[in-house]
Amino acid sequence: MIYLYDIWVNWFANEEDGCNVCHYHEWRKDDDIKLLDTTPLIYVTESLFSHVENSLMHLPEALLERIYNKSQYRKGQKVLKIDYAAVITDGRGVLAFDTKGYEFPIEKSRLIPRQESYVFRMIEGESPESFGFNEDIIPYSSDMIGLTRRERNLKQILLQSIERVGDNKDLDELKYWLTELTPNSYEDVKKMNYKSTWNSLMNEVKNGWSEEHERICGQMANKYLDLQLYFHTEQGEYTSKI
């Protein structure tokens, strides 16, 4: 594994749009800039890089396993480990992230130009890895056109919930959720294999947003504590606690 040392980061929290993760020339003197003592450098595919840069969705389990406890920083005289943090590149862009113990990139940062250049030199001759990332889960910007910020956030939660079900390769559960969305197709759904069920479910949630989408989103998110919190936050139920 390739490691980077003494990496300056300027964390931007809860940004699902990479455009809001400012490059070095936009950093301000009063930003909360940190120094990472050590962090792994991971060369990833363009689609996985875009997924991390432009969403707050679930990261591939294989990637999380690779970087677990590999980053560290200093607090006074103590050296502390970070659960899941890394610098990734697709050969064109560079991004640092920290999940804050969760499974999605809560904090993101660009690097200073000198360190970005060093990253590109370090991956020369290497091949990018996908870590089993499923490109079908990417919510392209065209799928979000016309949605409010709240609806976009809820759609992210729904897609992430579906991704977790897909990670378990549970065909029966996928069929259950597809039937919930399309009750009139029950007989057809019973005959579907894994791939056709997955594709049909994704097509059902891909376009637009409706009350039915929101109902299913709430039911699926309740299976996962972290997504449940985000869902109820978007509902305004936890606003006073955050």
Side-chain angles (χ1 to χ4, degrees), residues 67-134:
I67 65 175
Y68 180 65
N69 272 352
K70 295 295 195 303
S71 295
Q72 58 187 35
Y73 68 101
R74 290 185 181 273
K75 189 173 183 180
Q77 298 299 316
K78 294 182 178 180
V79 177
L80 304 176
K81 292 184 179 294
I82 303 173
D83 287 346
Y84 303 109
V87 171
I88 60 171
T89 181
D90 62 352
R92 298 189 301 178
V94 180
L95 187 76
F97 71 85
D98 181 356
T99 72
K100 308 302 289 183
Y102 293 99
E103 297 177 337
F104 35 89
I106 298 293
E107 294 182 333
K108 305 175 189 179
S109 175
R110 306 296 178 181
L111 302 192
I112 64 175
R114 172 175 55 82
Q115 293 176 335
E116 284 190 344
S117 298
Y118 181 70
V119 165
F120 296 137
R121 293 199 302 271
M122 291 296 290
I123 64 167
E124 290 179 0
E126 303 290 331
S127 299
E129 298 182 72
S130 68
F131 293 94
F133 174 63
N134 188 346

Coordinates of all heavy atoms in Angstrom, one line a residue, residues 67-134:
I67 N -8.6 0.5 4.1 CA -8.1 1.7 4.8 C -8.3 1.7 6.3 O -7.9 2.7 6.9 CB -8.7 3.0 4.1 CG1 -10.2 3.0 4.4 CG2 -8.4 3.0 2.6 CD1 -10.8 4.3 3.9
Y68 N -8.9 0.7 6.8 CA -9.3 0.8 8.2 C -8.1 1.0 9.1 O -7.1 0.2 9.1 CB -10.0 -0.5 8.6 CG -10.4 -0.6 10.1 CD1 -11.4 0.3 10.6 CD2 -9.8 -1.5 11.0 CE1 -11.7 0.3 11.9 CE2 -10.2 -1.5 12.3 CZ -11.2 -0.6 12.8 OH -11.5 -0.6 14.1
N69 N -8.1 2.0 9.9 CA -7.1 2.3 10.9 C -5.7 2.6 10.3 O -4.7 2.5 11.0 CB -6.9 1.2 12.0 CG -7.9 1.4 13.1 OD1 -8.5 2.5 13.3 ND2 -8.0 0.4 14.0
K70 N -5.7 2.9 9.0 CA -4.4 3.2 8.3 C -4.0 4.6 8.4 O -2.9 5.0 8.1 CB -4.5 2.7 6.9 CG -4.7 1.2 6.7 CD -3.5 0.4 7.2 CE -3.5 -1.0 6.7 NZ -4.7 -1.8 7.0
S71 N -4.9 5.5 8.7 CA -4.6 7.0 8.8 C -4.4 7.4 10.3 O -5.1 6.8 11.2 CB -5.7 7.8 8.2 OG -5.8 7.6 6.8
Q72 N -3.6 8.4 10.5 CA -3.4 8.8 11.9 C -3.0 10.3 11.9 O -2.5 10.9 10.9 CB -2.3 8.0 12.6 CG -1.0 8.0 12.0 CD 0.0 7.0 12.6 OE1 -0.4 6.0 13.1 NE2 1.3 7.4 12.7
Y73 N -3.3 11.0 13.1 CA -3.0 12.4 13.2 C -2.5 12.6 14.7 O -2.7 11.7 15.5 CB -4.2 13.2 12.9 CG -5.3 13.1 13.9 CD1 -5.5 14.0 14.9 CD2 -6.2 12.0 13.9 CE1 -6.5 13.9 15.9 CE2 -7.2 11.9 14.8 CZ -7.4 12.8 15.8 OH -8.4 12.7 16.7
R74 N -1.9 13.7 15.0 CA -1.4 14.0 16.3 C -2.4 14.9 17.0 O -2.9 15.9 16.5 CB -0.1 14.6 16.2 CG 1.0 13.7 15.8 CD 2.4 14.3 15.9 NE 3.4 13.3 15.4 CZ 4.0 12.5 16.2 NH1 3.7 12.4 17.5 NH2 4.9 11.6 15.7
K75 N -2.6 14.7 18.3 CA -3.3 15.6 19.2 C -2.5 15.7 20.4 O -2.4 14.9 21.3 CB -4.7 15.0 19.6 CG -5.6 15.9 20.3 CD -7.0 15.3 20.5 CE -7.9 16.3 21.2 NZ -9.3 15.8 21.4
G76 N -1.8 16.9 20.5 CA -0.8 17.1 21.5 C 0.4 16.1 21.3 O 0.9 16.0 20.2
Q77 N 0.7 15.3 22.3 CA 1.8 14.3 22.1 C 1.3 13.0 21.7 O 2.1 12.0 21.5 CB 2.5 14.2 23.5 CG 3.2 15.5 23.9 CD 4.3 16.0 23.0 OE1 5.1 15.2 22.5 NE2 4.2 17.3 22.7
K78 N 0.0 12.8 21.6 CA -0.6 11.5 21.3 C -0.8 11.4 19.8 O -1.1 12.3 19.0 CB -2.0 11.4 21.9 CG -1.9 11.3 23.5 CD -3.3 11.1 24.0 CE -3.3 10.9 25.5 NZ -4.6 10.7 26.1
V79 N -0.5 10.1 19.3 CA -0.8 9.8 17.9 C -2.1 9.0 17.9 O -2.2 7.9 18.5 CB 0.3 9.0 17.3 CG1 0.0 8.6 15.8 CG2 1.6 9.8 17.3
L80 N -3.1 9.5 17.2 CA -4.5 8.8 17.2 C -4.8 8.3 15.8 O -4.4 8.9 14.8 CB -5.5 9.9 17.6 CG -5.3 10.5 18.9 CD1 -6.4 11.6 19.2 CD2 -5.3 9.5 20.1
K81 N -5.4 7.1 15.8 CA -5.8 6.5 14.5 C -7.2 7.0 14.1 O -8.0 7.4 14.9 CB -5.8 5.0 14.6 CG -4.4 4.4 14.8 CD -4.5 2.9 14.8 CE -3.1 2.3 15.0 NZ -2.2 2.6 13.8
I82 N -7.4 7.0 12.8 CA -8.7 7.3 12.2 C -9.3 6.1 11.6 O -8.6 5.3 10.9 CB -8.6 8.4 11.1 CG1 -7.8 9.7 11.6 CG2 -9.9 8.8 10.5 CD1 -7.5 10.7 10.6
D83 N -10.6 5.8 11.9 CA -11.2 4.6 11.4 C -11.1 4.4 9.9 O -10.5 3.5 9.4 CB -12.7 4.6 11.8 CG -12.9 4.3 13.3 OD1 -11.9 3.9 13.9 OD2 -14.0 4.5 13.8
Y84 N -11.7 5.4 9.2 CA -11.7 5.3 7.7 C -11.4 6.6 7.1 O -12.3 7.5 7.0 CB -13.1 4.8 7.2 CG -13.6 3.5 7.8 CD1 -14.6 3.5 8.7 CD2 -13.0 2.3 7.5 CE1 -15.1 2.3 9.3 CE2 -13.4 1.1 8.0 CZ -14.4 1.1 8.9 OH -14.9 -0.1 9.5
A85 N -10.2 6.8 6.6 CA -9.8 8.0 5.9 C -8.7 7.6 4.9 O -8.0 6.6 5.1 CB -9.2 9.0 6.9
A86 N -8.7 8.4 3.8 CA -7.7 8.1 2.8 C -7.6 9.2 1.8 O -8.5 10.1 1.8 CB -8.1 6.8 2.0
V87 N -6.6 9.2 0.9 CA -6.6 10.1 -0.2 C -6.8 9.2 -1.4 O -6.2 8.1 -1.6 CB -5.2 10.8 -0.3 CG1 -5.1 11.5 -1.7 CG2 -5.0 11.8 0.8
I88 N -7.7 9.6 -2.3 CA -8.0 8.9 -3.5 C -7.7 9.7 -4.7 O -7.7 10.9 -4.7 CB -9.4 8.3 -3.6 CG1 -10.4 9.5 -3.6 CG2 -9.7 7.3 -2.5 CD1 -11.9 9.1 -3.9
T89 N -7.4 9.0 -5.8 CA -7.2 9.7 -7.1 C -7.6 8.8 -8.2 O -7.5 7.6 -8.1 CB -5.7 10.2 -7.3 OG1 -5.6 10.8 -8.6 CG2 -4.8 8.9 -7.3
D90 N -8.1 9.4 -9.3 CA -8.4 8.6 -10.5 C -7.4 9.0 -11.6 O -7.6 8.6 -12.8 CB -9.8 8.9 -11.0 CG -10.1 10.4 -11.4 OD1 -9.2 11.2 -11.1 OD2 -11.1 10.7 -11.9
G91 N -6.3 9.7 -11.3 CA -5.3 10.0 -12.2 C -5.5 11.4 -12.8 O -4.7 12.0 -13.5
R92 N -6.7 12.0 -12.5 CA -7.0 13.4 -12.9 C -7.3 14.3 -11.7 O -6.9 15.4 -11.7 CB -8.2 13.4 -13.9 CG -7.9 12.6 -15.2 CD -9.0 12.8 -16.2 NE -10.3 12.4 -15.7 CZ -11.5 12.6 -16.4 NH1 -11.4 13.1 -17.6 NH2 -12.6 12.2 -15.9
G93 N -8.1 13.8 -10.8 CA -8.4 14.6 -9.6 C -7.8 13.9 -8.3 O -7.5 12.7 -8.4
V94 N -7.8 14.6 -7.2 CA -7.3 14.1 -6.0 C -8.3 14.6 -4.9 O -8.7 15.7 -4.9 CB -5.9 14.6 -5.7 CG1 -5.4 14.0 -4.3 CG2 -4.9 14.3 -6.8
L95 N -8.6 13.7 -4.0 CA -9.5 14.0 -2.9 C -9.2 13.2 -1.6 O -8.9 12.0 -1.7 CB -10.9 13.6 -3.3 CG -12.1 14.1 -2.4 CD1 -12.4 15.6 -2.5 CD2 -13.4 13.3 -2.7
A96 N -9.2 13.9 -0.5 CA -9.1 13.2 0.8 C -10.5 13.1 1.4 O -11.3 14.0 1.2 CB -8.2 14.0 1.7
F97 N -10.7 12.0 2.2 CA -12.0 11.9 2.8 C -11.8 11.2 4.2 O -10.9 10.5 4.4 CB -13.0 11.1 2.0 CG -12.7 9.7 1.9 CD1 -13.2 8.8 2.8 CD2 -12.0 9.2 0.8 CE1 -12.9 7.4 2.7 CE2 -11.7 7.8 0.6 CZ -12.2 6.9 1.6
D98 N -12.8 11.5 5.1 CA -12.8 10.9 6.4 C -14.3 10.6 6.6 O -15.2 11.4 6.5 CB -12.3 11.8 7.5 CG -12.3 11.2 8.9 OD1 -12.8 10.1 9.0 OD2 -11.8 11.9 9.8
T99 N -14.6 9.3 7.0 CA -16.0 8.9 7.2 C -16.5 9.2 8.6 O -17.7 9.0 8.9 CB -16.2 7.4 6.9 OG1 -15.6 6.7 8.0 CG2 -15.6 7.0 5.6
K100 N -15.6 9.6 9.5 CA -16.0 9.9 10.9 C -16.6 8.7 11.5 O -17.5 8.7 12.4 CB -16.9 11.1 11.0 CG -16.5 12.4 10.3 CD -15.1 12.8 10.8 CE -15.2 13.4 12.2 NZ -13.9 13.9 12.7
G101 N -16.1 7.5 11.1 CA -16.5 6.2 11.7 C -17.7 5.6 11.0 O -18.1 4.5 11.3
Y102 N -18.4 6.3 10.0 CA -19.5 5.8 9.3 C -19.0 5.1 8.0 O -17.8 4.8 7.9 CB -20.5 6.9 9.0 CG -21.2 7.5 10.2 CD1 -20.8 8.7 10.7 CD2 -22.3 6.8 10.8 CE1 -21.4 9.2 11.9 CE2 -22.9 7.3 11.9 CZ -22.5 8.5 12.4 OH -23.1 9.0 13.5
E103 N -19.9 4.8 7.1 CA -19.5 4.1 5.9 C -19.6 5.0 4.7 O -19.7 4.5 3.5 CB -20.4 2.8 5.8 CG -20.1 1.9 6.9 CD -21.0 0.6 6.8 OE1 -22.1 0.8 6.2 OE2 -20.7 -0.4 7.4
F104 N -19.7 6.3 4.8 CA -19.8 7.2 3.7 C -18.9 8.4 4.0 O -18.6 8.7 5.2 CB -21.2 7.6 3.4 CG -22.1 7.7 4.6 CD1 -22.2 8.9 5.3 CD2 -22.8 6.6 5.1 CE1 -23.0 9.0 6.4 CE2 -23.6 6.7 6.2 CZ -23.7 7.9 6.9
P105 N -18.5 9.2 3.0 CA -17.5 10.2 3.2 C -18.1 11.5 3.8 O -18.5 12.4 3.0 CB -17.0 10.5 1.7 CG -18.2 10.1 0.9 CD -18.8 8.9 1.6
I106 N -18.1 11.6 5.1 CA -18.7 12.7 5.8 C -17.9 14.0 5.5 O -18.4 15.1 5.2 CB -18.8 12.5 7.3 CG1 -19.7 11.3 7.6 CG2 -19.2 13.7 8.0 CD1 -21.1 11.5 7.3
E107 N -16.5 13.9 5.6 CA -15.7 15.1 5.4 C -14.8 14.8 4.1 O -14.3 13.7 3.9 CB -14.8 15.3 6.6 CG -15.5 15.7 7.8 CD -14.6 16.0 9.0 OE1 -13.5 15.4 9.1 OE2 -15.0 16.8 9.9
K108 N -14.6 15.9 3.4 CA -13.8 15.8 2.1 C -12.9 17.0 2.1 O -13.2 18.1 2.6 CB -14.7 15.8 0.9 CG -15.8 14.7 0.9 CD -16.7 14.8 -0.3 CE -17.8 13.9 -0.2 NZ -18.8 14.0 -1.4
S109 N -11.7 16.8 1.4 CA -10.8 17.9 1.3 C -10.0 17.7 0.0 O -9.7 16.6 -0.4 CB -9.8 18.0 2.5 OG -8.8 19.0 2.3
R110 N -9.6 18.9 -0.6 CA -8.6 18.8 -1.7 C -7.2 18.9 -1.0 O -7.1 19.1 0.2 CB -8.7 20.1 -2.6 CG -10.1 20.3 -3.2 CD -10.5 19.1 -4.1 NE -11.9 19.3 -4.6 CZ -12.5 18.5 -5.4 NH1 -11.9 17.4 -5.8 NH2 -13.7 18.7 -5.8
L111 N -6.2 18.7 -1.8 CA -4.8 18.8 -1.2 C -4.2 20.1 -1.8 O -4.6 20.7 -2.7 CB -4.0 17.6 -1.6 CG -4.5 16.2 -1.2 CD1 -3.4 15.2 -1.4 CD2 -5.0 16.2 0.2
I112 N -3.0 20.5 -1.2 CA -2.3 21.6 -1.7 C -1.6 21.1 -3.0 O -1.4 20.0 -3.2 CB -1.3 22.1 -0.7 CG1 -0.2 21.1 -0.4 CG2 -2.0 22.5 0.6 CD1 0.9 21.6 0.5
P113 N -1.4 22.1 -3.9 CA -0.9 21.7 -5.3 C 0.4 20.8 -5.2 O 0.5 19.8 -6.0 CB -0.6 23.0 -5.9 CG -1.6 24.0 -5.3 CD -1.6 23.5 -3.9
R114 N 1.3 21.1 -4.4 CA 2.6 20.3 -4.3 C 2.3 18.9 -4.0 O 2.9 17.9 -4.6 CB 3.5 20.9 -3.3 CG 4.8 20.1 -3.0 CD 5.7 20.8 -2.1 NE 5.1 21.2 -0.8 CZ 4.9 20.4 0.2 NH1 5.3 19.1 0.1 NH2 4.3 20.8 1.3
Q115 N 1.3 18.6 -3.1 CA 1.0 17.3 -2.7 C 0.2 16.6 -3.7 O 0.3 15.4 -3.9 CB 0.3 17.3 -1.3 CG 1.3 17.7 -0.2 CD 0.7 17.9 1.1 OE1 -0.5 18.1 1.3 NE2 1.5 17.7 2.2
E116 N -0.7 17.3 -4.5 CA -1.4 16.7 -5.6 C -0.5 16.2 -6.6 O -0.6 15.1 -7.2 CB -2.4 17.8 -6.2 CG -3.6 18.0 -5.4 CD -4.6 18.9 -6.1 OE1 -4.3 19.5 -7.1 OE2 -5.8 18.9 -5.7
S117 N 0.5 17.0 -7.0 CA 1.5 16.6 -8.0 C 2.3 15.3 -7.5 O 2.5 14.4 -8.3 CB 2.5 17.7 -8.2 OG 1.9 18.9 -8.7
Y118 N 2.6 15.3 -6.2 CA 3.2 14.1 -5.7 C 2.4 12.9 -5.8 O 2.9 11.8 -6.2 CB 3.6 14.4 -4.2 CG 4.3 13.2 -3.6 CD1 5.6 12.9 -3.9 CD2 3.7 12.4 -2.6 CE1 6.3 11.8 -3.3 CE2 4.3 11.4 -2.0 CZ 5.6 11.1 -2.4 OH 6.3 10.0 -1.8
V119 N 1.1 13.0 -5.6 CA 0.1 11.9 -5.8 C 0.2 11.3 -7.2 O 0.3 10.1 -7.4 CB -1.3 12.3 -5.4 CG1 -2.3 11.3 -5.9 CG2 -1.5 12.5 -3.9
F120 N 0.2 12.2 -8.2 CA 0.2 11.7 -9.6 C 1.5 11.0 -9.9 O 1.5 10.0 -10.6 CB 0.0 12.9 -10.5 CG -1.3 13.6 -10.4 CD1 -1.5 15.0 -10.4 CD2 -2.5 12.8 -10.3 CE1 -2.7 15.6 -10.3 CE2 -3.8 13.4 -10.2 CZ -3.8 14.8 -10.2
R121 N 2.6 11.4 -9.3 CA 3.9 10.7 -9.5 C 3.8 9.4 -8.9 O 4.4 8.4 -9.4 CB 5.0 11.5 -9.0 CG 5.3 12.8 -9.7 CD 6.7 13.4 -9.5 NE 6.9 13.6 -8.1 CZ 6.7 14.8 -7.4 NH1 6.1 15.8 -8.1 NH2 6.9 14.9 -6.2
M122 N 3.2 9.3 -7.7 CA 3.2 8.0 -6.9 C 2.4 6.9 -7.6 O 2.6 5.7 -7.4 CB 2.6 8.3 -5.5 CG 3.5 9.1 -4.7 SD 5.1 8.3 -4.3 CE 4.6 6.9 -3.2
I123 N 1.4 7.2 -8.5 CA 0.6 6.2 -9.1 C 1.1 5.8 -10.5 O 0.4 5.0 -11.1 CB -0.9 6.6 -9.2 CG1 -1.0 7.9 -10.1 CG2 -1.5 6.9 -7.8 CD1 -2.5 8.1 -10.5
E124 N 2.2 6.4 -10.9 CA 2.7 6.0 -12.2 C 3.0 4.5 -12.3 O 3.6 4.0 -11.4 CB 3.9 6.9 -12.6 CG 3.6 8.3 -12.8 CD 4.9 9.1 -13.1 OE1 6.0 8.5 -13.1 OE2 4.8 10.4 -13.3
G125 N 2.5 3.9 -13.3 CA 2.7 2.5 -13.5 C 1.7 1.6 -12.7 O 1.8 0.4 -12.8
E126 N 0.8 2.2 -11.9 CA -0.2 1.5 -11.2 C -1.5 1.4 -11.9 O -1.7 2.1 -12.9 CB -0.4 2.1 -9.8 CG 0.8 2.3 -8.9 CD 1.3 0.9 -8.4 OE1 0.5 0.0 -8.3 OE2 2.6 0.8 -8.2
S127 N -2.4 0.5 -11.5 CA -3.7 0.3 -12.2 C -4.8 0.7 -11.2 O -4.7 0.4 -10.0 CB -3.9 -1.1 -12.6 OG -2.9 -1.5 -13.6
P128 N -5.8 1.4 -11.6 CA -6.9 1.8 -10.7 C -7.7 0.6 -10.3 O -7.8 -0.4 -11.0 CB -7.7 2.7 -11.6 CG -7.5 2.3 -13.0 CD -6.1 1.8 -13.0
E129 N -8.3 0.7 -9.1 CA -9.2 -0.4 -8.5 C -10.6 0.1 -8.4 O -10.8 1.3 -8.1 CB -8.6 -0.8 -7.2 CG -7.2 -1.4 -7.2 CD -6.8 -1.9 -5.9 OE1 -7.3 -2.9 -5.4 OE2 -5.9 -1.2 -5.3
S130 N -11.6 -0.8 -8.6 CA -13.0 -0.4 -8.4 C -13.5 -0.9 -7.1 O -14.6 -0.4 -6.7 CB -13.8 -1.1 -9.6 OG -13.8 -2.5 -9.4
F131 N -12.9 -1.8 -6.4 CA -13.3 -2.3 -5.1 C -14.8 -2.9 -5.2 O -15.5 -2.8 -4.3 CB -13.2 -1.3 -4.0 CG -11.8 -0.9 -3.7 CD1 -11.2 0.2 -4.3 CD2 -11.1 -1.6 -2.8 CE1 -9.9 0.6 -4.1 CE2 -9.8 -1.3 -2.5 CZ -9.2 -0.2 -3.1
G132 N -15.1 -3.4 -6.4 CA -16.5 -4.0 -6.6 C -17.6 -2.9 -6.7 O -18.7 -3.3 -6.5
F133 N -17.2 -1.7 -6.9 CA -18.2 -0.6 -6.9 C -19.2 -0.8 -8.1 O -18.8 -1.1 -9.2 CB -17.5 0.8 -7.1 CG -18.5 1.9 -7.3 CD1 -19.4 2.3 -6.3 CD2 -18.5 2.6 -8.5 CE1 -20.3 3.3 -6.5 CE2 -19.3 3.7 -8.7 CZ -20.2 4.0 -7.7
N134 N -20.5 -0.7 -7.7 CA -21.6 -0.9 -8.7 C -22.0 0.5 -9.3 O -22.6 1.3 -8.6 CB -22.8 -1.5 -8.0 CG -23.9 -1.9 -9.0 OD1 -23.9 -1.5 -10.1 ND2 -24.8 -2.7 -8.5

